mmCIF file with all atom_site columns, all heavy atoms in Angstrom:
data_model
loop_
_atom_site.group_PDB
_atom_site.id
_atom_site.type_symbol
_atom_site.label_atom_id
_atom_site.label_alt_id
_atom_site.label_comp_id
_atom_site.label_asym_id
_atom_site.label_entity_id
_atom_site.label_seq_id
_atom_site.pdbx_PDB_ins_code
_atom_site.Cartn_x
_atom_site.Cartn_y
_atom_site.Cartn_z
_atom_site.occupancy
_atom_site.B_iso_or_equiv
_atom_site.pdbx_formal_charge
_atom_site.auth_seq_id
_atom_site.auth_comp_id
_atom_site.auth_asym_id
_atom_site.auth_atom_id
_atom_site.pdbx_PDB_model_num
ATOM 1  N N   . GLY A 1 79  ? -15.343 -1.636  -5.403  1.00 98.00 ? 94  GLY A N   1
ATOM 2  C CA  . GLY A 1 79  ? -13.949 -1.732  -5.749  1.00 98.00 ? 94  GLY A CA  1
ATOM 3  C C   . GLY A 1 79  ? -13.019 -0.950  -4.845  1.00 98.00 ? 94  GLY A C   1
ATOM 4  O O   . GLY A 1 79  ? -13.432 -0.125  -4.041  1.00 98.00 ? 94  GLY A O   1
ATOM 5  N N   . ILE A 1 86  ? -13.216 11.271  -13.426 1.00 78.00 ? 101 ILE A N   1
ATOM 6  C CA  . ILE A 1 86  ? -13.354 12.025  -14.662 1.00 78.00 ? 101 ILE A CA  1
ATOM 7  C C   . ILE A 1 86  ? -14.361 13.158  -14.527 1.00 78.00 ? 101 ILE A C   1
ATOM 8  O O   . ILE A 1 86  ? -14.401 14.057  -15.382 1.00 78.00 ? 101 ILE A O   1
ATOM 9  C CB  . ILE A 1 86  ? -13.748 11.105  -15.841 1.00 78.00 ? 101 ILE A CB  1
ATOM 10 C CG1 . ILE A 1 86  ? -15.095 10.415  -15.541 1.00 78.00 ? 101 ILE A CG1 1
ATOM 11 C CG2 . ILE A 1 86  ? -12.664 10.075  -16.094 1.00 78.00 ? 101 ILE A CG2 1
ATOM 12 C CD1 . ILE A 1 86  ? -15.617 9.630   -16.743 1.00 78.00 ? 101 ILE A CD1 1
ATOM 13 N N   . LEU A 1 111 ? 4.159   7.017   -0.623  1.00 98.00 ? 126 LEU A N   1
ATOM 14 C CA  . LEU A 1 111 ? 4.427   5.628   -0.208  1.00 98.00 ? 126 LEU A CA  1
ATOM 15 C C   . LEU A 1 111 ? 5.912   5.318   -0.249  1.00 98.00 ? 126 LEU A C   1
ATOM 16 O O   . LEU A 1 111 ? 6.398   4.493   0.519   1.00 98.00 ? 126 LEU A O   1
ATOM 17 C CB  . LEU A 1 111 ? 3.648   4.661   -1.107  1.00 98.00 ? 126 LEU A CB  1
ATOM 18 C CG  . LEU A 1 111 ? 2.156   4.559   -0.763  1.00 98.00 ? 126 LEU A CG  1
ATOM 19 C CD1 . LEU A 1 111 ? 1.345   4.174   -1.977  1.00 98.00 ? 126 LEU A CD1 1
ATOM 20 C CD2 . LEU A 1 111 ? 1.947   3.578   0.379   1.00 98.00 ? 126 LEU A CD2 1
ATOM 21 N N   . HIS A 1 123 ? -10.205 -5.166  -3.610  1.00 98.00 ? 138 HIS A N   1
ATOM 22 C CA  . HIS A 1 123 ? -11.392 -5.891  -4.072  1.00 98.00 ? 138 HIS A CA  1
ATOM 23 C C   . HIS A 1 123 ? -11.989 -5.146  -5.261  1.00 98.00 ? 138 HIS A C   1
ATOM 24 O O   . HIS A 1 123 ? -11.779 -3.951  -5.432  1.00 98.00 ? 138 HIS A O   1
ATOM 25 C CB  . HIS A 1 123 ? -12.430 -6.015  -2.939  1.00 98.00 ? 138 HIS A CB  1
ATOM 26 C CG  . HIS A 1 123 ? -13.165 -4.741  -2.647  1.00 98.00 ? 138 HIS A CG  1
ATOM 27 N ND1 . HIS A 1 123 ? -12.556 -3.650  -2.055  1.00 98.00 ? 138 HIS A ND1 1
ATOM 28 C CD2 . HIS A 1 123 ? -14.440 -4.353  -2.903  1.00 98.00 ? 138 HIS A CD2 1
ATOM 29 C CE1 . HIS A 1 123 ? -13.424 -2.669  -1.933  1.00 98.00 ? 138 HIS A CE1 1
ATOM 30 N NE2 . HIS A 1 123 ? -14.590 -3.066  -2.435  1.00 98.00 ? 138 HIS A NE2 1
ATOM 31 N N   . MET A 1 131 ? -4.691  1.295   -9.516  1.00 98.00 ? 146 MET A N   1
ATOM 32 C CA  . MET A 1 131 ? -3.674  0.261   -9.682  1.00 98.00 ? 146 MET A CA  1
ATOM 33 C C   . MET A 1 131 ? -2.292  0.832   -9.414  1.00 98.00 ? 146 MET A C   1
ATOM 34 O O   . MET A 1 131 ? -1.426  0.152   -8.836  1.00 98.00 ? 146 MET A O   1
ATOM 35 C CB  . MET A 1 131 ? -3.750  -0.327  -11.086 1.00 98.00 ? 146 MET A CB  1
ATOM 36 C CG  . MET A 1 131 ? -2.744  -1.444  -11.344 1.00 98.00 ? 146 MET A CG  1
ATOM 37 S SD  . MET A 1 131 ? -3.132  -2.341  -12.837 1.00 98.00 ? 146 MET A SD  1
ATOM 38 C CE  . MET A 1 131 ? -1.543  -3.084  -13.221 1.00 98.00 ? 146 MET A CE  1
ATOM 39 N N   . GLU A 1 132 ? -2.059  2.082   -9.800  1.00 98.00 ? 147 GLU A N   1
ATOM 40 C CA  . GLU A 1 132 ? -0.774  2.706   -9.508  1.00 98.00 ? 147 GLU A CA  1
ATOM 41 C C   . GLU A 1 132 ? -0.569  2.860   -8.001  1.00 98.00 ? 147 GLU A C   1
ATOM 42 O O   . GLU A 1 132 ? 0.543   2.675   -7.494  1.00 98.00 ? 147 GLU A O   1
ATOM 43 C CB  . GLU A 1 132 ? -0.692  4.073   -10.187 1.00 98.00 ? 147 GLU A CB  1
ATOM 44 C CG  . GLU A 1 132 ? -0.611  3.949   -11.704 1.00 98.00 ? 147 GLU A CG  1
ATOM 45 C CD  . GLU A 1 132 ? -0.585  5.297   -12.403 1.00 98.00 ? 147 GLU A CD  1
ATOM 46 O OE1 . GLU A 1 132 ? -1.601  6.019   -12.370 1.00 98.00 ? 147 GLU A OE1 1
ATOM 47 O OE2 . GLU A 1 132 ? 0.472   5.623   -12.983 1.00 98.00 ? 147 GLU A OE2 1
ATOM 48 N N   . VAL A 1 147 ? -10.257 -6.842  -10.228 1.00 98.00 ? 162 VAL A N   1
ATOM 49 C CA  . VAL A 1 147 ? -9.979  -6.658  -11.655 1.00 98.00 ? 162 VAL A CA  1
ATOM 50 C C   . VAL A 1 147 ? -8.997  -5.500  -11.791 1.00 98.00 ? 162 VAL A C   1
ATOM 51 O O   . VAL A 1 147 ? -9.216  -4.417  -11.224 1.00 98.00 ? 162 VAL A O   1
ATOM 52 C CB  . VAL A 1 147 ? -11.263 -6.325  -12.443 1.00 98.00 ? 162 VAL A CB  1
ATOM 53 C CG1 . VAL A 1 147 ? -10.924 -6.108  -13.911 1.00 98.00 ? 162 VAL A CG1 1
ATOM 54 C CG2 . VAL A 1 147 ? -12.287 -7.426  -12.296 1.00 98.00 ? 162 VAL A CG2 1
ATOM 55 N N   . ARG A 1 166 ? 6.789   1.435   -12.130 1.00 97.00 ? 181 ARG A N   1
ATOM 56 C CA  . ARG A 1 166 ? 6.725   0.406   -11.095 1.00 97.00 ? 181 ARG A CA  1
ATOM 57 C C   . ARG A 1 166 ? 6.266   -0.964  -11.617 1.00 97.00 ? 181 ARG A C   1
ATOM 58 O O   . ARG A 1 166 ? 6.630   -1.989  -11.057 1.00 97.00 ? 181 ARG A O   1
ATOM 59 C CB  . ARG A 1 166 ? 5.785   0.863   -9.968  1.00 97.00 ? 181 ARG A CB  1
ATOM 60 C CG  . ARG A 1 166 ? 6.304   2.036   -9.156  1.00 97.00 ? 181 ARG A CG  1
ATOM 61 C CD  . ARG A 1 166 ? 5.464   2.286   -7.918  1.00 97.00 ? 181 ARG A CD  1
ATOM 62 N NE  . ARG A 1 166 ? 6.060   3.306   -7.060  1.00 97.00 ? 181 ARG A NE  1
ATOM 63 C CZ  . ARG A 1 166 ? 5.736   4.590   -7.098  1.00 97.00 ? 181 ARG A CZ  1
ATOM 64 N NH1 . ARG A 1 166 ? 4.803   5.020   -7.936  1.00 97.00 ? 181 ARG A NH1 1
ATOM 65 N NH2 . ARG A 1 166 ? 6.326   5.457   -6.295  1.00 97.00 ? 181 ARG A NH2 1
ATOM 66 N N   . LEU A 1 208 ? -10.734 -8.829  4.231   1.00 98.00 ? 223 LEU A N   1
ATOM 67 C CA  . LEU A 1 208 ? -10.274 -7.944  5.291   1.00 98.00 ? 223 LEU A CA  1
ATOM 68 C C   . LEU A 1 208 ? -9.739  -8.735  6.487   1.00 98.00 ? 223 LEU A C   1
ATOM 69 O O   . LEU A 1 208 ? -8.753  -8.340  7.106   1.00 98.00 ? 223 LEU A O   1
ATOM 70 C CB  . LEU A 1 208 ? -11.401 -7.010  5.729   1.00 98.00 ? 223 LEU A CB  1
ATOM 71 C CG  . LEU A 1 208 ? -11.900 -6.055  4.627   1.00 98.00 ? 223 LEU A CG  1
ATOM 72 C CD1 . LEU A 1 208 ? -12.949 -5.105  5.179   1.00 98.00 ? 223 LEU A CD1 1
ATOM 73 C CD2 . LEU A 1 208 ? -10.756 -5.276  4.006   1.00 98.00 ? 223 LEU A CD2 1
ATOM 74 N N   . GLN A 1 231 ? 13.674  -1.451  3.788   1.00 96.00 ? 246 GLN A N   1
ATOM 75 C CA  . GLN A 1 231 ? 14.611  -0.461  3.263   1.00 96.00 ? 246 GLN A CA  1
ATOM 76 C C   . GLN A 1 231 ? 15.616  -1.107  2.320   1.00 96.00 ? 246 GLN A C   1
ATOM 77 O O   . GLN A 1 231 ? 15.891  -0.588  1.225   1.00 96.00 ? 246 GLN A O   1
ATOM 78 C CB  . GLN A 1 231 ? 15.341  0.230   4.415   1.00 96.00 ? 246 GLN A CB  1
ATOM 79 C CG  . GLN A 1 231 ? 16.342  1.278   3.973   1.00 96.00 ? 246 GLN A CG  1
ATOM 80 C CD  . GLN A 1 231 ? 17.069  1.934   5.153   1.00 96.00 ? 246 GLN A CD  1
ATOM 81 O OE1 . GLN A 1 231 ? 16.616  1.848   6.298   1.00 96.00 ? 246 GLN A OE1 1
ATOM 82 N NE2 . GLN A 1 231 ? 18.179  2.573   4.881   1.00 96.00 ? 246 GLN A NE2 1
ATOM 83 N N   . VAL A 1 261 ? 17.003  -8.764  19.286  1.00 91.00 ? 276 VAL A N   1
ATOM 84 C CA  . VAL A 1 261 ? 17.748  -9.944  18.870  1.00 91.00 ? 276 VAL A CA  1
ATOM 85 C C   . VAL A 1 261 ? 18.009  -10.849 20.074  1.00 91.00 ? 276 VAL A C   1
ATOM 86 O O   . VAL A 1 261 ? 17.844  -12.080 20.010  1.00 91.00 ? 276 VAL A O   1
ATOM 87 C CB  . VAL A 1 261 ? 19.068  -9.543  18.199  1.00 91.00 ? 276 VAL A CB  1
ATOM 88 C CG1 . VAL A 1 261 ? 19.921  -10.771 17.865  1.00 91.00 ? 276 VAL A CG1 1
ATOM 89 C CG2 . VAL A 1 261 ? 18.795  -8.739  16.934  1.00 91.00 ? 276 VAL A CG2 1
#
Side-chain angles (χ1 to χ4, degrees):
I101 60 173
L126 283 153
H138 74 290
M146 181 167 159
E147 291 178 292
V162 179
R181 292 190 174 95
L223 297 184
Q246 181 181 342
V276 175

